[in-house]
Structure formats: C-alpha cells, structure tokens
Amino acid sequence: MGTHRITLTVNRVQEVAEVPSNLTLLDFLRERLALTGTKNGCSTGECGACTVMMNGEPVNSCLVLAVEADGAEILTIEGLAHDGQLDTLQKAFIELTGTQCGFCAPGILISARALLNRNPHPSEAEIRDALRGHLCRCTGYVRIVESIQAAAKAGG
Amino acid sequence: MDEMKHTQKAPYPIGESIPRIDIHAKVTGEAKFTDDLPFGPGLLYGRVLRSPHPHALIKHINVSKALTMPGVRAVVTGADSDEHIGLYLKDRFIFCRERVRFVGDPVAGVVATSEAIADEACRLIDVEYEVLDPVLDPIRGIQPDAPLLHPDLGDYVVADFIQPKPGTNISNHFKVRKGDIEAAWPKCDVIVERSFRVPEVQHVPIETHIAIARVDQNGKITLWSSSQSPFAQRNLISEALGVSQSDIRVIAPYVGGGFGSKAGVSVEGMAVVMARKVPGHPVKMRLTREEEFFCSFVRQGLIAKTRVGATKDGKILAMKTEYYWDAGAYTEYGVNITRASGYSSTGPYNIPNVWADSYCVYTNHPVGGPMRGFGMPEIHWGIEQIMDIVADELGMDKVEFRLKNCLRSGDINVTGMKMHPIGLTECIQKASKAINWGTDEPASAPNKRRGKGLAIMWKAPAMPPNAGSSAWVRLNEDATVSLGIGGQEIGQGTFTVAAQMASAALGVPMDWIRISAPVDTQYSPYEWQTVASRLTWSMGNAIVKAAHNARKQILDIVAKYWDENPEDLDIKDGQVISYKTENSISIENIVVYGLPQPDGAGWQGGPIIGHGNFMPTYVTDLDNETGQGERAVVHYTTGCQAVDLEVNIETGHITILNIASAFDVGKAINPEQVRAQIEGGVGMGASTGILESLQFKDGIPQNISFMDYRIATAVDMPKKVESIIVEVPQDDGPWGARGVGEHPMVPTAPAIANALTAAVGVRILDLPLTPEKVFLALEQKAMTQGKGS
Amino acid sequence: MNLPSPGLPDFDYVSADTSDEVVSLLLKYPNDARLFMGGTDIFLHMRDRLVTPKLLVDVKHLPGMTSIDFDPKSGLRLGAAATLNMIARHQAVVKYYSLLAEAIDAFGMYQLRNRATIGGNLCNASPCADTGPIALVYEASLLAIGPKGERTIPAAEFFLGPGKNALDEGEFLMRIDFPTPPKGCAGRYLKLGRNSAGDLALVSAAVMAYPDESVKSSYSFRLALASVAPTPIRVPAAEAILARDPLTDETIELAANEAEATSRPIDDIRASAHYRKAMVKALTRRGILEVRTMLEKEG
C-alpha cells in the first residue's frame, strides 16, 4: 500500500507527514498529531463528533482521507481558542452549560463557528438546522442552541 | 449535622447555579476521554468474533489461521476464562463456552498490532455451530416447552433478593400481593384492561464503549475504561477471574455519555482476558458504533398486561399487572429491573388492592441492561396510558383524576412503605398549568390537530440495600481542597455538585475545591456505582461528612492556638473566625503545617485529611410472596410532565409544541444543572417515544447504524421545554436533596401518547409513536368510523 | 451478519490529473479501481466490505470537475465533483433552480454536503437519492467520458436500478447539464423521513410546473418521486391529468391518486410499502397544492 507525503496547516501550524492511503483525517489528527479533542463517534459521518474545519468549512473528518488534506488548512477544537482568548462560542458554552458529557461538544463548536462565520445572526431555526449533523444524547440540544444564540448576540 | 437541616437557609453555594467545573476542559478539547489516553508503541488492539446465531452450541473452534496471521499476538476463546460473571446473577462467561445466546455474543478475541489486523484475523476463525431454536419473545420464553437458554440456572450464584426459577427461562419472579384484589373488582364501577409493548432501545452514548487493559508480569491488572462503575467493575472482574480486588486497578476518565450502558461489566472483561495473554502490553478494545447498538447493553423489551378498577367517584380500588421482561441472553441488571418494576408497578398512586407479577425472561436477544430510568420509562408507558383511559371511562378530567389518586406524604404505597414527604401534587399542578391545561388551542394548519396530555411518575434508586459511598477531603498548602470521590462525571454534573457541597460544608470558596479525577480505584474512595440517580444524595452525604470531619480537625487546632472553645469557631470563606473573640485567621498553610504553640513549645496539628461515608441502614427486605415490607427503598423522586403537541394527519408526524416538566428534587443544589438534566431527559424521552426501536428479524438486529436507528436531532426537539423545580426536602439528603438524573425521561413517552389521543382520538399501546404507526392508526380509525356510519 | 470493519481497508490512492488517465486506470483495473469524489458513500461501503477496491482514483481535481457555470441560454453546467453546498449557494441555482437548492437542503446535513457531490449522489443511483428526482424534473443530461470519447445520457435513461447507472465500463461522469428552466417555473421538493430532517427519504416528491398555453389546463407539470421504485421515477400519467384538467382540488386528487398507483415501493425496516404509497399520495397532493399557490402568486 502506498504512502503519500502531505503538507498541511493544522491550527495555524504547518505539518508535514507521510501517510498511508487509508488513513482518515480523523485518525491522522488523533494518532499522529495527538489532537484528541476531535472525537470518533460513528465512522460514518452521521454523528458529527469528528467535525473539523477544512479550508474554512466543516467536514466529517472520519470521511476525509488524510492524503486529501494535502495543502489544506485544518482547524480543530484545540485551535478554536487562540492568542490566549477563548472563542465567543466557548465562553457562551461555559456560561450556559452548552454541553454535559462533552463528547459531542468539539464537533458542535466547530460547526457553530462555521455557522457564525457565514451567518453572524442566525435564527433559531437556522441554528438547529446547522446542528442536524450533530448527535447529542445529553442535553436535548436546548442549551446548545441557547449558547450559540448568546455567542451570536455577543458579536459572534 | 444540625446546620444541614433544610429548615435553615442553605449556605453558599448550595442552591446556586455555579457553572460546571468540567466545562472549560470540555469546550477546548482538553478533557481526556478513555480513547484519548496515550499508550505508546506497545499498545495492542483487541477485536472480538461474535456469534452470528441467536442460539447455538459451539461444536468446534479453529483459531489456527488467525494465530498465524502476521501481526496477531494472541487469540482467546472461552477456554481462557472459565468463571461466571454477573452483577446480581452470575450467568455469563466473558467469552462463550459451549453455547452462544444472542447475535453478538463474544466467541473469540484476537489481539494484534493494529485494529485492522485484529479484525481481519477474527474473520479467519472457523467456528462450527449447532444451531438451536431461539426464544425471541418473553411470552414464548415462559412456556414449558420453550428452549432453555440456561439449563444450569440453578447452579448460578445469585443475590439473595433475586429469585430465579431453575428449569425455566425465568431469571427472576417478583410478586406483589397487597389487599384483596379479588374482593375489590366487584366494587369497581369501571374496569379497564390493556396490554402494552415496549421495544428494545439502545442508550446511544456518543462515545462508544472502550477499555484498555494491561496485565503485568505479576498478574496485576490495570484497566482504563469509560465506566460508570469503576469499583463494581473491579469487584466483578476480581470475582470472575479469582484475582484480589486490590490487584485490579480501574482508572476511569471522563465518560462520553453513559445512561446506564457503562455500568457493570461489558467490554472490560474481554479486554482483561485478552491482555492476560500478552503481559506488559496494554490492549485496547473499542466498540464500533455498529457493535454499540447490540453488543453492549440494550434497554429490555417489555410486555405489560394491566388491569385497573375504579369506583364511579374516581377512586382507584385495584390494579393487577403482569410484566414479561424481554431480558435478553444474560441479565447483569435485568433481574433487579424486574424487581424494581414490580415494587413500583402501581406508579405513584395510592391503590389499596394490588397484584403484580414481574418476570425476567431469558430470550435470545442482546443483553438487557440498565438504562436511564431502570424500568420506569418502560412501565410508566402503560401505567400512565391506562390511567388516562380509566379517567376517560369515568368522564373525569385527567389532572383531577391524578390529584385524587396520587400518592401523598404519609400514604402507604404498594409495598407497604409509608411515603416520606413528596411534592407530587405540586408537580402535577405546576406542570399542567404551564401548558394551559383545560384550554383548547387551535392547530397551526388545516392538516394538523392539536392536543394536550400529561403523565406522572415515581422512581426510587434501585440498588442493594447497602450500596455505599465514601469521600475524603485533603487540604493543600494554599488552602485549596482536593476532594476525593469515587462517583463518576458522566455528563450529569456530579463533579460540580460535589464541589458545591464540599465548599458549603467546609466553609471555603467554591473555586478552592479540586476534584481528584480521574476516578482511580487505587486512590479514590469507594463508591458503589454511578447509577440510580443516587450520587447527589448518597455521595453528597459522604462528602458533607468528610468536609465536617476536616472542619472539626481545623477548628480544634485553631481553638487550641487561640485558647478558645471550638464550639465558638466557624470557617467562613476560608477563614477561621471566632464568634466570641472576633479572632480570624486564614486556613492557608495551617492546614498542612499546623500552628505553633506559645514560647516555641512545639507545633500543633498536621496535614488535614477529612473522611466520611454514607450507607443507608434502614432498607428492609420484602416478603418473597407478598412483596410487602417496611421500607423497600431509600426514597422516591416524583414528577409530572405535560405535553402540548400537534399531529400532521397527512403523514402522522408529531410535533411537540411545549413540554413542561415539574420534578420534586428535594433541594436543587445547582438549579441550572437540574434544569439541564430535565431538558436532557425530555430529549431522550421524546426520542425514544417517537423514533427509537431496535428492530430484529429472527433475532438478528436490523438497524445497527445511525442511518437506520434514528435518534432525535436539534430539529426534532420540542419547540419549547420548560423545567419547574419543586422542593419538598428529603429527610436524609444533603440540604434535603434527592436525585433527578433519570426521572425526566420516565413520563415523556406516555405524556406524548396521552396528548396524541387528545389530538386525534387514537390510542397507541406499542412504543414508539412513529409517524407510520400514527398514520396507520388514523387510517384504521377512519375505516372503523366509515363502517359505523 | 456482516459487521463493518472498524476502519478502512488497505487501498492505494491516486489523484488523477486528466480524464485520459482516469479512463485508462478504469480499463486497466476494471475490478479493482473505483472513482471517488466526496467519499461519503464509498467509505461506508468499503467498511461494510460491499466494495473492495484496491485503488481509489480521486477525480475531483480534474479540470472543470468542480465548476459551476450558468448561462441563461444553455442553462446550468455542474462539474460532477461540485459539492452540494457549492451548488446550493450558487446565485444562479438559488434564482433559477430553486428545486435543486431545496433538495440539497433536504439532503443529509451541512458538513456532509461539504463533501458530498452532485455526481456522486447521481452515480450511486440510490432509489432514495435526493437529487435523482430533481435531475428528472429539470430533464438534466449527464456527460460521460469513456474509452470511446464523450457521450450524453438523458437523466431519464441514467438510472437503471438500485446502485446501477448507465455508465459503461471505463466511463465516468464529468458533468451534469440542467437546461434553462421553463419560464415562470415553480417547484417544491417534499421529503418525508422518520425524523424531521437529515434522514434518507422514505418517500420524496419533486413537483415542478410552469405556465404553458399549449395545454388545456394552461400549466405543464413535471412530477418525480424517490424511494418508491428501484429508481427515481417520473409520473407521466399524473402529469397528463394536470395538463388536461383545470387545477381544481379534484384534479389534484386524481393526479395524486395516479402517483400513488404508479409507485412500486417495498417493505423494509424504514417503512412499509403501504405507508409509502399513502405518503406518495399525500406528498404529491401537497406538493401540487403548494406549487399551484406559487403559480397563482406569480400569475
């Protein structure tokens, strides 16, 4: 089986790696870069726990090959806060209990960030729609939606 | 304990909605779950070959092809562990020997250098089976000619409150005989009888089961697992493998959702047995999502036959119930769910004449385990619908009917226990008011119909009578407090509530409390299990005792130093103060180094550690024949949910417009976290109520992926979720608190069903209320009416 | 039972630069090479061992493969690897092909649509694919490239059965052309899942109509259904009723009945054939009613 040399940016840091064809971006992040904040919940693109930003758009990293990320800019939950500052969304999730067990939160925060980037003032329906690729079994989604609303209100 | 009495104002931060202390880690990706732990290049991976048959004898296993595959380090089968394992009834081998009892039963395990190699090697194992007739339904299972799943049932080790029937598929039969049921029926003006069905569903934690086991050269075992029960796992594995409890160390990081599925032992035992073959190497065993649906635990299926009689003035006189639990191949917790459902079979109603038979029946289905509510969502599905039907027959308002018959403080309940103070009537009044009960409101479109319904509930922690908790507090130089607990943070917020209680009981600021996590059986104090909504109450009591113990030690030293009476001293905000002399001193440093005596005459005190424990001492047995006893359980949490919904009569889709919940939590230690639990319970209740069932064909699960096992997403949730906290204090709860983690999903499905009937006049007795089922019921109703006219 | 593997099996990956390279790889490894673009289906099938390619040929970087072009005269040209989100947010799609945007919105979930491609959704030829009925009602044509060069396949001839499309050995889909929609055209895509959104269609109905003086009712309709036959289907008999009779509630009921009669759904774990048939009628009726309202507003 062949391997491929890839160069990509992960959380604003350039990474160079040799990856086999069948390595998913998810496993690359978790196992090669020890960025374990991104979670594996189903391996089928249904639960959204593995969501990362790829070139500014959220994707299920379990359905992306690492080799496909050659040249890409990747943002994971570990890179959401930067310059010592939490993202507005992170602050809102902390204040309003946007997560309970915490397993789905990294993916949800990435999707929420992408939502506010493309639509700074989403309606409740738009927020819920943007979340439909994220399964959460703890919260009933109530406080997730409220947290995203609060973050949008606080300027995104 | 005087200052804990609920009659006094609770000290800060009790009753305050402090933000969760674990949440910063969880929103930054810092929080470590089991799969996130690094194990280095020595890590090996385990995969399991599973039975493709619901019921068969293993005639022969050939592992030679798997063993010779490059990268394979070991193969294990039933021959590698011959002891039974099980919580209340030891009816299971870690790997099957001789017989497989469900599709998914572990037959062999492969340890290899990668998950892919282990998986591939599993497929190279040849197993010859002799296929047997399966039992796929509990009613079939109790018939005398049904195939026996456990011919050795009589030889299994069993807890004394469980009564298996050797020679049958019945692993427990629990009875209630209260009053004189036969004499009561003739006095009833209305008698209603119905049969209800509840399918198997799955917990669906977003983190699947995972465990990593390492066995060292001396046979000592370390297990890292996503677990609600580190101590119970240690104990069960110890008993099964004949290893001392102290030679097993379980380390349990954050749990990515449990809901009961990560209580007891499932994949952990397999990981340990596989790791024994490769000493020194950690072996990781992670279930795929597909496996999670049928290879860990499922919620048991239920067939409930219920008969209720009432007088024309609306008083319930008699209730007779038969529960046939589809317990699956092994029982783990199922036998006790059977018991709990029996002793809760009336729901929260005051009924003088009760007859109940609750049977736990082995079937060739996945293993029935505990799931949020521990049998209560399943039995309330029927209880709360039949109560609505009785009210309808009587022509009574459903709120009025419930207020007339529900349990109140001091009433004698189904098992003869006198009810402690409860606020159920207040819950009913507040929840129904929140949805404008009694007011008809228009639907939003011509193709929709609107209706309102409600359901009430009760649930006690179902556990052995002597389930214990313990805690310690260790003071640090900077006066921060390390709080040792064995309860697990599974998302319910227990670390936050524990810290609040320690802070209040010790008298130090909330942000001085540090939870000593992860829970590690080598260092953490004993906790029975993180189940049964029992931590706030049970572990909370232990924490308060531990904090008071430390507090006393601190006050004694300072009292000596000041030459005062400790009774006159207090700790407030991290300062020891004297009410008498108005002296004050920070506890910083002195809690480790102590205080000097005058004139250089040595030092007093030393590093402070406080300890405390709690175990209920008052739980009595129930009579085997009547189910009667003085106090079967520690307490009941009660509540009510009221639903306002719309039904699309073209498609059968239900949209919940508003769901209001009121629960009597005794005392909300952290009100926002209580509301978060209610919202989560409502979400899970609505999801299982409308969408979920594990579907089988000839015992083979058909929908083991998110593609076909749908759970509620953000767009499926009720439009409005309202949570109301009622506080009627628990006499032995910390500041009056009792648990509420499981309860909010108990009444959700029947409340929806009752509202559905109010909206469109059809009554569905089988969970879930899928659009298709609703549509077919509407179609049936139209046909029947067509014929009638 | 066949349990999926935990991860992806071994394979080689190559990103193709030219269509010639793709065709030659497909011919060289007819059984072992598979094309892929978004991977949202093939990775699942590989875990399930339904397909076991030794070589994945990534074709999304071929020239023009992700382009989206609109010309008022010739219509919309979609590179086969254009992602569903790229398409749904394209101004021309929003303005002229609202039915396509609506179907994409009903597809899966946002982050999946960042990977899922229009070509992949059509080539999988799943009976429940959301873009299938859309390609039918817009009367799209599919441009394939193969050993014998290019050829155009009308959407109506593209779907042959579950998982079966009209591409020959060595052929692959390059582009999908949507002709300029008829003037004054209105449409609705109604999809029924088990939960509110994101599910596979139990039934879906695409209803499109436009003012047409050449027919008696003055409106020409195009109806297509998914998940109720081995392929997405048009319902010509219902379309004929709607062209013939004035658009009264009775006519609409007749057309919906016809759609129900035309459908041939199966029983499976997702729904019974009986329910699906009833839903064909319900969705078709509602779709036509809503499109009638849209047309009346326009008119």
Side-chain angles (χ1 to χ4, degrees):
Chain A
M1 187 173 70
T3 61
H4 311 267
R5 191 178 178 77
I6 58 170
T7 305
L8 70 168
T9 309
V10 180
N11 299 334
R12 299 170 286 276
V13 174
Q14 194 182 74
E15 304 281 355
V16 180
E18 195 75 22
V19 296
S21 300
N22 69 346
L23 185 71
T24 62
L25 177 59
L26 171 63
D27 287 344
F28 173 73
L29 293 169
R30 287 181 56 84
E31 287 166 21
R32 296 290 188 87
L33 303 186
L35 293 171
T36 55
T38 305
K39 306 300 183 197
N40 181 357
C42 71
S43 304
T44 55
E46 293 272 351
C47 77
C50 70
T51 303
V52 301
M53 211 102 81
M54 185 170 175
N55 300 323
E57 282 286 329
V59 295
N60 293 304
S61 64
C62 73
L63 294 183
V64 177
L65 300 177
V67 57
E68 291 182 89
D70 187 25
E73 275 184 30
I74 305 293
L75 181 78
T76 73
I77 186 66
E78 288 91 346
L80 193 55
H82 60 96
D83 304 329
Q85 281 291 310
L86 289 178
D87 189 282
T88 323
L89 281 157
Q90 291 170 313
K91 289 182 196 159
F93 272 61
I94 290 172
E95 197 177 325
L96 298 175
T97 311
T99 190
Q100 291 184 20
C101 85
F103 203 77
C104 68
I108 285 178
L109 282 157
I110 292 292
S111 266
R113 173 44 50 220
L115 170 68
L116 295 189
N117 287 352
R118 66 180 183 269
N119 179 2
H121 303 291
S123 66
E124 184 184 332
E126 286 169 332
I127 292 172
R128 288 184 181 273
D129 195 62
L131 290 174
R132 81 188 200 206
H134 292 276
L135 299 178
C136 167
R137 196 60 155 169
C138 294
T139 63
Y141 306 95
V142 176
R143 277 155 210 267
I144 298 174
V145 173
E146 287 171 359
S147 300
I148 297 171
Q149 285 173 319
K153 212 170 170 190
Chain B
M1 299 281 282
D2 277 353
E3 68 270 44
M4 271 179 53
K5 282 276 189 267
H6 45 73
T7 45
Q8 292 177 13
K9 191 180 180 309
Y12 187 87
I14 299 304
E16 298 291 327
S17 292
I18 308 286
R20 296 177 66 106
I21 61 175
D22 55 343
I23 199 164
H24 188 282
K26 286 176 174 176
V27 300
T28 52
E30 284 294 329
K32 292 289 177 243
F33 296 81
T34 305
D35 199 25
D36 302 339
L37 304 177
F39 288 92
L43 179 65
L44 299 174
Y45 298 83
R47 287 287 297 160
V48 167
L49 176 70
R50 299 177 179 282
S51 167
H53 304 294
H55 197 188
L57 296 177
I58 300 172
K59 304 308 283 185
H60 185 67
I61 303 183
N62 184 345
V63 302
S64 57
K65 271 185 276 179
L67 263 177
T68 54
M69 185 172 165
V72 171
R73 295 296 168 81
V75 178
V76 301
T77 65
D80 293 286
S81 67
D82 60 356
E83 291 297 320
H84 282 96
I85 191 165
L87 183 65
Y88 295 115
L89 175 62
K90 297 193 186 305
D91 60 0
R92 186 162 47 112
F93 292 114
I94 292 173
F95 284 95
C96 294
R97 297 162 67 92
E98 294 169 15
R99 188 188 288 255
V100 293
R101 297 180 174 89
F102 73 100
V103 172
D105 220 352
V107 173
V110 174
V111 182
T113 51
S114 78
E115 210 176 21
I117 292 171
D119 188 68
E120 199 57 49
C122 277
R123 296 167 197 261
L124 297 177
I125 297 171
D126 288 323
V127 187
E128 193 189 316
Y129 294 100
E130 180 188 330
V131 173
L132 302 175
D133 276 345
V135 172
L136 301 176
D137 180 287
I139 301 285
R140 170 75 186 125
I142 57 164
Q143 285 161 3
D145 66 335
L148 275 190
L149 271 75
H150 292 267
D152 301 331
L153 180 56
D155 301 332
Y156 295 162
V157 176
V158 61
D160 58 9
F161 52 89
I162 304 298
Q163 301 166 68
K165 305 285 166 219
T168 76
N169 286 316
I170 297 170
S171 54
N172 192 19
H173 177 195
F174 181 84
K175 294 179 228 176
V176 176
R177 309 285 183 260
K178 183 194 177 194
D180 186 346
I181 193 104
E182 289 312 321
W185 297 123
K187 296 177 196 154
C188 297
D189 300 302
V190 165
I191 295 174
V192 173
E193 195 166 345
R194 291 287 188 281
S195 187
F196 301 89
R197 259 180 189 267
V198 178
E200 276 112 331
V201 299
Q202 221 273 332
H203 312 67
V204 196
I206 307 305
E207 177 204 41
T208 60
H209 276 67
I210 177 161
I212 298 102
R214 183 178 181 277
V215 180
D216 73 13
Q217 304 276 352
N218 299 321
K220 291 196 176 181
I221 297 166
T222 308
L223 180 67
W224 295 261
S225 71
S226 175
S227 173
Q228 296 178 235
S229 323
F231 286 92
Q233 280 183 351
R234 180 178 79 160
N235 192 44
L236 293 174
I237 293 170
S238 144
E239 287 175 0
L241 302 184
V243 181
S244 158
Q245 276 88 347
S246 61
D247 285 342
I248 302 178
R249 176 181 178 189
V250 181
I251 301 169
Y254 282 124
V255 176
F259 316 108
S261 74
K262 290 169 184 166
V265 173
S266 55
V267 299
E268 301 80 10
M270 294 171 224
V272 169
V273 170
M274 287 194 275
R276 281 203 303 201
K277 289 265 191 165
V278 286
H281 285 277
V283 175
K284 183 186 277 197
M285 163 97 191
R286 192 182 75 87
L287 294 189
T288 62
R289 175 57 59 188
E290 293 81 6
E291 287 175 302
E292 184 74 20
F293 275 110
F294 67 108
C295 301
S296 57
F297 293 123
V298 300
R299 190 171 85 179
Q300 303 184 121
L302 174 66
I303 295 170
K305 297 181 178 180
T306 300
R307 191 172 196 229
V308 175
T311 59
K312 60 175 176 289
D313 62 346
K315 177 70 195 136
I316 305 170
L317 283 190
M319 183 165 185
K320 184 174 183 185
T321 303
E322 292 162 47
Y323 291 139
Y324 301 95
W325 288 97
D326 187 341
Y330 310 97
T331 62
E332 194 75 357
Y333 290 81
V335 284
N336 199 32
I337 293 169
T338 300
R339 183 174 190 269
S341 61
Y343 68 60
S344 308
S345 62
T346 54
Y349 292 91
N350 186 350
I351 304 176
N353 304 290
V354 183
W355 180 291
D357 288 290
S358 185
Y359 300 96
C360 194
V361 186
Y362 283 122
T363 64
N364 295 107
H365 276 160
V367 183
M371 180 168 155
R372 195 177 198 166
F374 207 74
M376 297 305 110
E378 300 93 301
I379 67 169
H380 284 74
W381 169 247
I383 295 169
E384 282 305 282
Q385 288 207 72
I386 203 161
M387 291 306 174
D388 252 33
I389 300 171
V390 172
D392 269 338
E393 297 271 324
L394 290 165
M396 259 180 99
D397 175 79
K398 279 112 182 171
V399 168
E400 191 193 333
F401 180 69
R402 286 182 171 82
L403 285 173
K404 190 175 180 83
N405 288 287
C406 76
L407 281 167
R408 289 171 159 78
S409 312
D411 284 350
I412 301 299
N413 77 10
V414 50
T415 58
M417 168 178 159
K418 187 176 167 191
M419 287 301 291
H420 51 81
I422 56 166
L424 179 55
T425 51
E426 189 182 339
C427 292
I428 298 172
Q429 283 154 345
K430 288 190 165 163
S432 55
K433 186 164 177 249
I435 64 156
N436 297 321
W437 182 261
T439 319
D440 281 336
E441 283 166 274
S444 65
N447 62 336
K448 292 183 178 168
R449 302 287 179 271
R450 192 160 170 181
K452 296 177 184 181
L454 84 164
I456 62 176
M457 64 74 62
W458 71 340
K459 182 190 180 296
M463 54 192 191
N466 58 343
S469 295
S470 57
W472 47 251
V473 295
R474 191 191 76 203
L475 281 290
N476 302 309
E477 294 92 325
D478 56 2
T480 57
V481 179
S482 298
L483 173 60
I485 52 176
Q488 256 298 46
E489 180 54 76
I490 62 174
Q492 83 283 46
T494 207
F495 282 4
T496 305
V497 165
Q500 282 179 262
M501 293 193 286
S503 158
L506 195 52
V508 302
M510 172 75 186
D511 61 3
W512 289 12
I513 309 289
R514 306 293 144 82
I515 304 289
S516 291
V519 173
D520 180 336
T521 58
Q522 185 157 306
Y523 305 111
S524 304
Y526 178 86
E527 183 64 55
W528 179 60
Q529 301 193 45
T530 299
V531 297
S533 308
R534 57 183 281 281
L535 288 190
T536 300
W537 162 78
S538 178
M539 186 175 83
N541 279 331
I543 291 168
V544 170
K545 276 196 196 171
H548 285 173
N549 178 263
R551 184 175 173 279
K552 182 172 186 309
Q553 295 176 49
I554 297 166
L555 294 184
D556 284 348
I557 305 161
V558 176
K560 271 190 192 156
Y561 180 64
W562 285 342
D563 195 20
E564 289 199 49
N565 188 338
E567 303 282 302
D568 297 326
L569 308 187
D570 199 356
I571 305 177
K572 291 271 181 201
D573 212 23
Q575 300 273 322
V576 178
I577 53 168
S578 165
Y579 292 119
K580 198 171 171 188
T581 62
E582 296 188 4
N583 269 336
S584 83
I585 184 172
S586 164
I587 65 169
E588 217 172 302
N589 293 321
I590 66 173
V591 289
V592 172
Y593 303 121
L595 284 164
Q597 296 188 71
D599 308 325
W603 287 67
Q604 292 282 347
I608 303 287
I609 289 188
H611 61 88
N613 65 15
F614 176 79
M615 189 180 86
T617 52
Y618 46 71
V619 177
T620 59
D621 288 345
L622 292 176
D623 184 86
N624 280 347
E625 290 310 310
T626 64
Q628 300 298 296
E630 195 182 327
R631 188 167 181 184
V633 298
V634 291
H635 57 254
Y636 283 91
T637 297
T638 57
C640 176
Q641 265 169 3
V643 169
D644 180 4
L645 58 70
E646 272 187 349
V647 185
N648 181 327
I649 56 169
E650 288 177 345
T651 62
H653 271 264
I654 292 170
T655 304
I656 299 173
L657 304 173
N658 187 9
I659 178 162
S661 311
F663 285 90
D664 174 16
V665 301
K667 170 71 187 173
I669 304 294
N670 185 321
E672 283 307 308
Q673 295 310 316
V674 169
R675 291 190 186 100
Q677 284 307 297
I678 295 178
E679 293 156 9
V682 162
M684 208 170 195
S687 187
T688 50
I690 295 178
L691 292 170
E692 299 179 35
S693 68
L694 199 55
Q695 294 167 269
F696 294 94
K697 191 179 176 209
D698 304 327
I700 302 169
Q702 301 293 299
N703 55 335
I704 54 168
S705 70
F706 283 135
M707 187 94 77
D708 283 316
Y709 188 105
R710 309 296 294 173
I711 69 169
T713 67
V715 290
D716 298 304
M717 275 299 291
K719 304 279 176 229
K720 188 176 166 203
V721 178
E722 193 175 339
S723 307
I724 300 159
I725 295 171
V726 170
E727 294 179 320
V728 175
Q730 179 63 32
D731 55 3
D732 69 342
W735 294 281
R738 64 174 83 83
V740 72
E742 300 167 277
H743 310 76
M745 86 172 280
V746 173
T748 316
I752 297 169
N754 288 341
L756 171 74
T757 305
V760 293
V762 301
R763 174 69 62 189
I764 293 174
L765 306 179
D766 298 350
L767 254 187
L769 303 164
T770 60
E772 171 161 3
K773 221 184 268 177
V774 172
F775 179 84
L776 294 179
L778 288 168
E779 206 178 45
Q780 186 69 38
K781 183 188 162 212
M783 262 164 53
T784 319
Q785 283 177 348
K787 272 180 198 157
S789 61
Chain C
M1 73 185 310
N2 180 26
L3 257 185
S5 309
L8 291 172
D10 285 353
F11 56 85
D12 268 325
Y13 166 95
V14 60
S15 179
D17 297 320
T18 66
S19 52
D20 285 353
E21 187 186 348
V22 177
V23 171
S24 68
L25 283 170
L26 287 176
L27 290 177
K28 192 171 170 192
Y29 307 106
N31 299 318
D32 291 336
R34 293 281 297 228
L35 303 190
F36 104 106
M37 298 188 286
T40 55
D41 279 301
I42 194 166
F43 293 156
L44 273 53
H45 294 158
M46 287 164 73
R47 280 190 63 226
D48 287 339
R49 297 168 180 243
L50 297 175
V51 294
T52 51
K54 295 205 171 61
L55 178 66
L56 280 191
V57 184
D58 188 345
V59 294
K60 60 181 166 284
H61 304 296
L62 296 178
M65 205 62 175
T66 54
S67 64
I68 301 175
D69 299 303
F70 176 72
D71 178 276
K73 279 188 190 138
S74 52
L76 182 70
R77 293 184 159 193
L78 301 175
T83 68
L84 295 180
N85 276 348
M86 289 165 59
I87 296 167
R89 72 166 77 100
H90 195 277
Q91 282 310 310
V93 174
V94 173
K95 199 165 172 191
Y96 302 110
Y97 300 89
S98 62
L99 206 45
L100 177 58
E102 203 179 354
I104 289 172
D105 194 46
F107 174 101
M109 43 287 262
Y110 185 85
Q111 68 268 46
L112 204 68
R113 298 197 298 261
N114 274 332
R115 291 279 295 169
T117 62
I118 180 81
N121 198 234
L122 293 171
C123 285
N124 284 332
S126 163
C128 63
D130 288 300
T131 59
I134 305 304
L136 292 182
V137 295
Y138 282 115
E139 300 183 339
S141 51
L142 294 86
L143 180 74
I145 292 190
K148 295 175 195 154
E150 291 186 5
R151 80 175 163 123
T152 298
I153 310 166
E157 295 166 22
F158 187 72
F159 308 107
L160 303 182
K164 273 194 198 153
N165 60 42
L167 293 173
D168 287 334
E169 198 154 285
E171 258 188 339
F172 75 101
L173 182 65
M174 272 294 284
R175 209 176 73 205
I176 304 102
D177 292 349
F178 286 72
T180 311
K183 221 176 158 106
C185 146
R188 281 307 315 271
Y189 179 71
L190 297 181
K191 173 176 174 177
L192 189 81
R194 287 160 291 190
N195 64 318
S196 307
D199 196 5
L200 300 172
L202 299 180
V203 174
S204 74
V207 179
M208 177 190 172
Y210 52 95
D212 184 351
E213 290 311 323
S214 73
V215 301
K216 273 192 188 163
S217 74
S218 329
Y219 292 109
S220 273
F221 271 79
R222 294 179 194 167
L223 306 181
L225 304 168
S227 276
V228 296
T231 66
I233 53 168
R234 280 279 287 268
V235 196
E239 293 174 5
I241 291 170
L242 295 165
R244 189 187 63 205
D245 300 332
L247 268 188
T248 61
D249 289 357
E250 292 71 32
T251 309
I252 293 172
E253 193 68 19
L254 276 180
N257 284 340
E258 198 55 51
E260 184 182 5
T262 307
S263 67
R264 290 172 289 142
I266 54 165
D267 284 313
D268 64 16
I269 56 162
R270 292 170 192 158
S272 68
H274 176 84
Y275 180 61
R276 283 193 164 106
K277 267 193 165 288
M279 291 306 101
V280 168
K281 184 173 169 181
L283 265 57
T284 307
R285 180 174 50 213
R286 181 142 299 276
I288 301 169
L289 281 169
E290 291 185 15
V291 168
R292 181 176 71 178
T293 308
M294 293 163 88
L295 289 168
E296 282 166 355
K297 265 191 198 153
E298 287 295 309

